[in-house]
Amino acid sequence: MTRVFSGIQPTGHLTLGNYLGAMRRWAEVDQHRADSLFCVVDLHALTMDHDPARVRRLSRQTATLLLAAGLDPEVCTVFLQSHVDEQTRLSYLLECVATDGEMRRMIQYKEKAAKERERGGSVRLSLLTYPVLMAADILAYGTDEVPVGEDQAQHVELTRDLAVRFNQRYGQAFVVPRATLPQVAARVMNLQDPTRKMGKSDDSGAGVVYLLDEPDVVRKKVLRAVTDSGRDVVYDRAERPGLANLLDVLAACTGGNPQSLADVYDSYGSLKKDTAEAVVEVLRPVQARHRELCADPAYVEGVLRDGAEKARALARPTVDTAYRAIGLLPPVAEPSLSAVR
């Protein structure tokens, strides 16, 4: 069975973009078509300045929302990255085959490092090397497919390069994964700046619909969404990005087609109103399930414990193989009681 790995960082509150762009597909499609692992990659959240208590809180919230979105621990594996030591064990080995030049060419490193310098902060080494940890996340489990957006495709290509290079130098240890760009995935942009994605790390929440926003807050944000000059409702990403974003969101929530939906409306106001109500209805079952799970924290903890145990069992043989292949001696086993006697 095809093995799929997907990860999500607990760097902010999850958004409508996370749900429509990835989480809903994970729940409705990926967990049923493949042997799927879904990981809250909490170690990646440490690459920038952070509040430890907030990382812990968001890690739990992210895991809970993955379950609320429909991931079924009886069907797939849900776990926290930091609970599986094999991934960090493998990360150092991959650093030993990666190059400094490869790391510095990563687009996200360039962008995040530039922002950190602009605000007077120092750039952590982990920000440079975290694509290698991401590669370890993927390779540890013999992953075949990594469903990603275009912004993460470069990291999967690096993972492929590292796997091929390791296999060629030291012997076959890794499955070489492939990135899969979803055929149908909503591209949700910021409601106040429709030229950029709706991100969970956004400094301002005015253009971001969070999964746990109250219905009235959702309505207010959508009704205040930036639109474009002109009065006619047309779908044109290049010339009318604000309008196109609303049509994309409405189409994703209702199962419609954005171009066809544009023909239905003759005013921005009616489009915004219908989009707001559609978003509220899409989020309603997720929020209800989230409340149920929050009332039963022991269940969530059990899911994460069992998920980590399963993930460790899957990863250990691959990581042990890589350790032997690269030239490291295996640990010396403790003598058995019978041998001592």
Side-chain angles (χ1 to χ4, degrees), residues 5-15 18 22-23 26 38-50 54-63 65-66 79-82 108-109 112 126-127 129-135 137 148 151-152 155 197-202 210-211:
F5 178 94
S6 294
I8 189 165
Q9 294 189 38
T11 50
H13 298 288
L14 296 183
T15 72
N18 296 128
M23 293 165 62
W26 294 350
F38 300 100
C39 182
V40 179
V41 286
D42 50 349
L43 294 175
H44 292 309
L46 310 185
T47 59
M48 306 290 284
D49 189 31
H50 64 277
R54 185 171 187 266
V55 171
R56 285 191 291 269
R57 185 171 64 252
L58 288 176
S59 296
R60 176 181 290 276
Q61 184 186 91
T62 300
L65 280 169
L66 288 177
F79 64 104
L80 292 183
Q81 179 188 34
S82 62
Q108 289 203 2
Y109 168 72
K112 290 182 178 181
S126 57
L127 181 63
T129 60
Y130 97 88
V132 178
L133 178 56
M134 181 176 174
D137 296 340
V148 292
D151 59 331
Q152 291 290 337
H155 289 159
K197 285 177 59 177
M198 183 181 288
K200 59 181 179 292
S201 302
D202 203 305
Y210 297 105
L211 294 189

Side-chain angles (χ1 to χ4, degrees), residues 2 33 138 143-147 156-157 160 176-180:
T2 299
R33 72 174 179 86
I138 296 167
T143 302
D144 299 296
E145 294 182 10
V146 188
V156 181
E157 282 305 307
R160 289 174 53 84
V176 180
R178 60 186 179 275
T180 56

Side-chain angles (χ1 to χ4, degrees), residues 204-267:
S204 171
V208 181
V209 174
Y210 297 105
L211 294 189
L212 297 179
D213 276 347
E214 294 291 334
D216 285 346
V217 174
V218 172
R219 293 186 182 98
K220 185 180 295 185
K221 288 180 177 180
V222 176
L223 291 175
R224 292 180 178 177
V226 168
T227 48
D228 316 285
S229 59
R231 295 184 177 181
D232 55 326
V233 178
V234 295
Y235 183 78
D236 187 333
R237 277 186 178 276
E239 300 297 326
R240 311 283 283 278
L243 198 57
N245 189 36
L246 289 172
L247 289 166
D248 280 334
V249 170
L250 180 60
C253 290
T254 62
N257 178 282
Q259 290 93 344
S260 300
L261 286 170
D263 297 333
V264 175
Y265 294 93
D266 56 12
S267 73

Side-chain angles (χ1 to χ4, degrees), residues 7 72 88 98 128 229 272 276 279 287 309 312:
D72 183 351
T88 48
L128 179 67
S229 59
K272 285 185 174 183
V279 172
Q287 293 178 350
E309 184 177 344
R312 283 193 294 269

Side-chain angles (χ1 to χ4, degrees), residues 303-317:
V303 168
L304 296 178
R305 182 182 60 250
D306 294 346
E309 184 177 344
K310 182 178 177 182
R312 283 193 294 269
L314 287 173
R316 192 172 298 119

Side-chain angles (χ1 to χ4, degrees), residues 106-140:
M106 293 290 107
I107 294 172
Q108 289 203 2
Y109 168 72
K110 292 179 181 179
E111 294 176 348
K112 290 182 178 181
K115 288 181 180 179
E116 190 65 22
R117 293 188 184 101
E118 284 175 7
R119 52 192 290 269
S122 57
V123 180
R124 300 184 181 191
L125 178 61
S126 57
L127 181 63
L128 179 67
T129 60
Y130 97 88
V132 178
L133 178 56
M134 181 176 174
D137 296 340
I138 296 167
L139 296 178

